[in-house]
Amino acid sequence: MIDVQAVTLKLNGVRLEPLAPAHAPGLRAAAEDGQIWKLRVTWVPGPEQVDDYIGAALAMPNRLAFAVIDDDSGVVMGTTSYHDIMLEIDRVEIGHTWYAKSRQRSGVNTSCKLMLLSHAFNTLGCEVVGLRTDNLNHASQAAIERLGAHKDGVIRHHAARRDGSVRDTVVYSILRCEWHGIESALRDRLQLRAGA
């Protein structure tokens, strides 16, 4: 049975550390970068909602939230989480992920996913890692598919969007037996040596 504990992870100039109230100013700046809280297809807090967002993330059962930080400058670039942690079947999901607009398509997401997936499979001993996204969030679907995740299907009429409409959710997974090939591909994409 997996045992998910707070941990700090570092790779490729990106640091994941457990989310805390002290990250609020950095998350506000990240949300303001591109005004990404206005996007319909993902839930990003507006600057005035960041404190409540952090409080909710920390209070949510079966979630371990991280601040995504530039390891050189200390700038908070966004957030991501393990969530829907199911200890009894060795499963976690990765989600609640968003980055400042200027950090998107920069390698930050690939670095974060490699860290979280490596920790899940190589350290925690997960048998499967899930990911999910809004059916209208085509950029997120493409990013998940570039990871090599398997598209499991769509849960129809699954969750409310901020604007009150209801989204369908696209669900993906990576099995332990698929991880080695995916890990190699992600390391190649980031031009990292094994063990780095």
Side-chain angles (χ1 to χ4, degrees):
M1 182 183 299
I2 62 173
D3 181 19
V4 181
Q5 299 292 327
V7 64
T8 296
L9 305 170
K10 294 183 184 184
L11 180 74
N12 202 34
V14 178
R15 182 172 77 243
L16 297 178
E17 64 183 40
L19 187 64
H23 295 118
L27 278 186
R28 274 190 207 90
E32 289 172 343
D33 180 349
Q35 298 185 341
I36 55 176
W37 73 88
K38 294 181 179 179
L39 295 174
R40 178 178 184 227
V41 295
T42 191
W43 203 97
V44 176
E48 73 287 351
Q49 298 170 312
V50 165
D51 291 326
D52 289 342
Y53 179 89
I54 292 172
L58 297 179
M60 185 181 287
N62 298 318
R63 180 173 174 187
L64 175 58
F66 296 92
V68 179
I69 299 170
D70 183 305
D71 200 34
D72 293 326
S73 67
V75 169
V76 176
M77 301 182 285
T79 184
T80 191
S81 296
Y82 286 136
H83 65 94
D84 288 272
I85 299 166
M86 301 176 74
L87 305 177
E88 65 279 4
I89 61 168
D90 301 329
R91 176 187 173 98
V92 300
E93 292 197 24
I94 297 172
H96 299 280
T97 302
W98 56 269
Y99 307 105
K101 180 71 172 172
S102 63
R103 302 300 181 133
Q104 296 173 17
R105 302 292 297 190
S106 68
V108 169
N109 185 52
T110 303
S111 296
C112 288
K113 293 301 189 290
L114 179 55
M115 283 189 277
L116 291 170
L117 288 165
S118 293
H119 186 70
F121 286 114
N122 302 341
T123 303
L124 297 177
C126 287
E127 293 299 325
V128 61
V129 174
L131 304 104
R132 58 176 103 162
T133 191
D134 191 304
N135 68 306
L136 297 181
N137 193 341
H138 302 293
S140 179
Q141 290 174 57
I144 293 169
E145 290 169 9
R146 280 194 303 274
L147 292 174
H150 174 80
K151 184 176 179 179
D152 296 321
V154 178
I155 304 172
R156 296 184 295 171
H157 202 81
H158 181 242
R161 294 187 184 100
R162 180 192 308 246
D163 66 4
S165 62
V166 179
R167 83 177 204 181
D168 293 345
T169 299
V170 186
V171 181
Y172 295 85
S173 65
I174 298 171
L175 299 174
R176 170 177 286 288
C177 62
E178 300 163 338
W179 169 234
H180 179 70
I182 289 171
E183 181 180 24
S184 295
L186 291 176
R187 287 187 169 279
D188 287 347
R189 188 182 315 164
L190 292 171
Q191 300 179 339
L192 296 171
R193 307 184 319 279

